[in-house]
Amino acid sequence: EERDFGDEEVWDKEYRYARGDIFKTFPELEEMFSGKMGAVIRSIFGSHFKIFYGVLYKSVRIGNEPQGSALWHSDSGPGTCVNIMFCLNTTDRSNGAMEFVPWDVSLSLFSSERAAMRDLVTNGQRDRLEIRKSMCDYYNARINQDFSDRITCLNGSPGLLLAFRNNVVHRGGFPEDGKVRYACVFHLYPSISQAPLDTYRANGVSKNGPFPTDPAF
């Protein structure tokens, strides 16, 4: 059943869930990872898995132009990382559904990105935000020119699940005025041992630093 998270006190300034770690707050998530969703993830990896990070966020329209994760980008994490997105309400283009291009298109973009950026980034003189904007501009121009017919927009009912490579080129959509999207995203890695769900229940799965860190330790 679709749920309304309308209370603004639920969200921090970045529209992330602010009432505790989601794995400790919502026992349904543990049930999903120990059940069918866990089976899907093990099938993807061909192994056990561990959850390194999980967040629940609210996507709303901010400003007049897309910014941040609403621009084309890859997450640039280790290549073994798979992201799982669990949609909590109806998801379509009107409320900012995620868009992505296939992995072969992402590889094509990566193969020429260094040359495209070489003239823009010299000797580390441009700041981080400028570099990110230039990279997003490059992705946007290439996708619009060469791959506009390869874009997939996520559409579905509450409960829709998407698994995607951490480094596939993607963007969060840009919601229409008055439209809201809720989703959980988890960063997962292959493991030789079973996911310690009881430890996640005790410690949570919030991000505690800039690098992948197993919250079970």
Side-chain angles (χ1 to χ4, degrees), residues 65-113:
E65 298 291 337
Q67 55 186 298
S69 62
L71 302 173
W72 289 112
H73 67 283
S74 73
D75 290 346
S76 302
T80 53
C81 180
V82 167
N83 291 4
I84 294 288
M85 175 178 286
F86 179 58
C87 301
L88 302 182
N89 63 331
T90 300
T91 300
D92 56 34
R93 195 179 298 276
S94 71
N95 68 344
M98 178 177 150
E99 296 180 311
F100 56 92
V101 293
W103 183 237
D104 65 302
V105 172
S106 298
L107 292 177
S108 178
L109 295 170
F110 299 151
S111 68
S112 55
E113 98 182 9

Side-chain angles (χ1 to χ4, degrees), residues 114-125:
R114 182 182 295 271
M117 298 296 293
R118 188 175 293 124
D119 294 335
L120 298 174
V121 183
T122 57
N123 300 320
Q125 294 176 353

Side-chain angles (χ1 to χ4, degrees), residues 103-183:
W103 183 237
D104 65 302
V105 172
S106 298
L107 292 177
S108 178
L109 295 170
F110 299 151
S111 68
S112 55
E113 98 182 9
R114 182 182 295 271
M117 298 296 293
R118 188 175 293 124
D119 294 335
L120 298 174
V121 183
T122 57
N123 300 320
Q125 294 176 353
R126 295 171 63 86
D127 69 32
R128 183 169 174 271
L129 291 178
E130 286 181 299
I131 293 172
R132 174 170 181 168
K133 183 180 184 305
S134 296
M135 185 74 74
C136 293
D137 289 345
Y138 158 72
Y139 287 146
N140 190 59
R142 279 290 314 280
I143 291 171
N144 286 340
Q145 176 180 316
D146 299 327
F147 303 113
S148 60
D149 60 336
R150 303 291 305 279
I151 298 172
T152 296
C153 180
L154 193 63
N155 289 277
S157 302
L160 179 67
L161 188 73
L162 171 68
F164 61 99
R165 294 176 186 262
N166 180 267
N167 287 325
V168 75
V169 175
H170 61 281
R171 64 181 177 185
F174 192 49
E176 296 176 1
D177 285 332
K179 296 285 188 175
V180 177
R181 178 170 62 98
Y182 302 102

